[in-house]
Amino acid sequence: MDFEKIANEALSVSRILRNRLDLADKSGLRHFTGGKSPAQARKKGEALAELQNQASECRKCEIGRQRTNLVFGRGNPDADLVFIGEAPGYHEDRQGLPFVGRAGQLLDKIIVAMGFDVKDVYIGNILKCRPEGNRNPSPQEIVRCMAFLEKQIEIISPKVICAVGGIASKSLLSTQKSIGALRGRFHEFRGIPLMATYHPAYLLRNPSDKKKTWEDVQKIRDFLLL
Ligand code: URA
Ligand code: URA
């Protein structure tokens, strides 16, 4: 299972499609842009920025006082697809952006392999602050931070959510079931279809499970495209 290879193939297909659409534009054949309204994206972007400001004031948890940066989210405020991970790690805390370390590089490859542009999706976490030493988030931290994530998802209003890893999946689905039991099928979060799959950091340690995640994310791709 090689996400890089699939991602490269997806990139060359999307280049061909883009060239054809350019040709169709030039010949006046394309009436349907399929695009979303830029005004709506702007409005959502402003609402997210406002929410990020509120979150940056939050010091309810110890980790809020220890962090270098708040890690709120990255990507398209008007995305159809939102990925939710667990919590910022070292690099995320330094840069103030989610999934920028090794796990993030794999997540980006998975997104491109699905045929999407990383800039078209939105990526966030359950926690906005880094737990020291990358320990697991505490239940209290998850509950406190969930209000921000709920609002964040309400603003973006995606068509589907992908929860990566056990912590994100269990927190969003309010269940104790293992990621192995939850992955591979659609659940629901606040009326939005939610697919659970393995965390990219787990896949780096257990590459043989990449094919399961590939199955899971293809279900998301088919849901969005078919
Ligand atoms: N792992 C996560 O769950 N989130 C990040 O942002 C980075 C690593
Ligand atoms: N445990 C987790 O929390 N996440 C995974 O992706 C796999 C095992």
Side-chain angles (χ1 to χ4, degrees):
M1 181 63 241
D2 185 352
F3 282 113
E4 180 132 27
K5 184 154 161 270
I6 300 171
N8 283 333
E9 285 164 9
L11 277 178
S12 66
V13 170
S14 79
R15 257 193 301 274
I16 292 166
L17 288 175
R18 221 176 11 249
N19 285 338
R20 297 218 169 152
L21 289 174
D22 283 348
L23 273 180
D25 277 340
K26 282 185 192 121
S27 58
L29 283 175
R30 192 156 74 114
H31 305 293
F32 175 70
T33 58
K36 298 185 168 199
S37 123
Q40 166 142 310
R42 210 176 315 118
K43 235 173 90 191
K44 290 183 176 186
E46 284 164 11
L48 285 179
E50 163 75 35
L51 185 65
Q52 178 166 355
N53 262 336
Q54 289 171 24
S56 71
E57 302 285 306
C58 179
R59 297 287 187 281
K60 279 188 196 149
C61 306
E62 187 65 35
I63 53 174
R65 299 183 280 271
Q66 292 169 349
R67 70 178 184 229
T68 313
N69 285 297
L70 181 86
V71 177
F72 189 72
R74 67 169 158 110
N76 181 358
D78 201 19
D80 285 341
L81 172 57
V82 168
F83 288 86
I84 300 296
E86 179 176 320
Y90 174 82
H91 296 284
E92 289 76 22
D93 174 69
R94 290 271 139 177
Q95 296 186 40
L97 289 169
F99 281 102
V100 290
R102 272 190 77 219
Q105 285 166 17
L106 178 55
L107 181 59
D108 284 356
K109 273 182 213 156
I110 293 171
I111 292 165
V112 176
M114 292 169 78
F116 300 127
D117 196 311
V118 169
K119 290 194 285 302
D120 289 337
V121 307
Y122 189 90
I123 301 173
N125 281 310
I126 299 285
L127 293 196
K128 310 295 190 240
C129 301
R130 179 190 182 218
E132 74 284 354
N134 295 346
R135 62 164 170 77
N136 283 345
S138 74
Q140 191 183 43
E141 287 164 344
I142 291 173
V143 168
R144 284 175 173 167
C145 220
M146 189 56 83
F148 289 121
L149 183 57
E150 278 179 348
K151 193 86 213 314
Q152 206 171 8
I153 291 174
E154 192 186 313
I155 291 167
I156 300 165
S157 184
K159 294 198 174 112
V160 53
I161 296 168
C162 182
V164 297
I167 299 268
S169 304
K170 290 180 209 181
S171 306
L172 290 169
L173 297 173
S174 305
T175 176
Q176 299 294 326
K177 288 193 186 135
S178 72
I179 182 66
L182 294 169
R183 62 155 285 270
R185 57 202 167 83
F186 285 103
H187 308 263
E188 229 179 65
F189 176 78
R190 308 282 182 270
I192 301 167
L194 181 151
M195 173 65 68
T197 195
Y198 291 118
H199 194 290
Y202 167 85
L203 294 176
L204 288 171
R205 298 189 304 270
N206 301 271
S208 64
D209 273 340
K210 283 184 181 175
K211 59 179 183 300
K212 291 186 188 157
T213 284
W214 181 228
E215 286 167 21
D216 301 345
V217 298
Q218 285 181 94
K219 289 179 187 167
I220 297 176
R221 182 198 61 195
D222 293 350
F223 174 86
L224 285 171
L225 297 185
L226 300 181

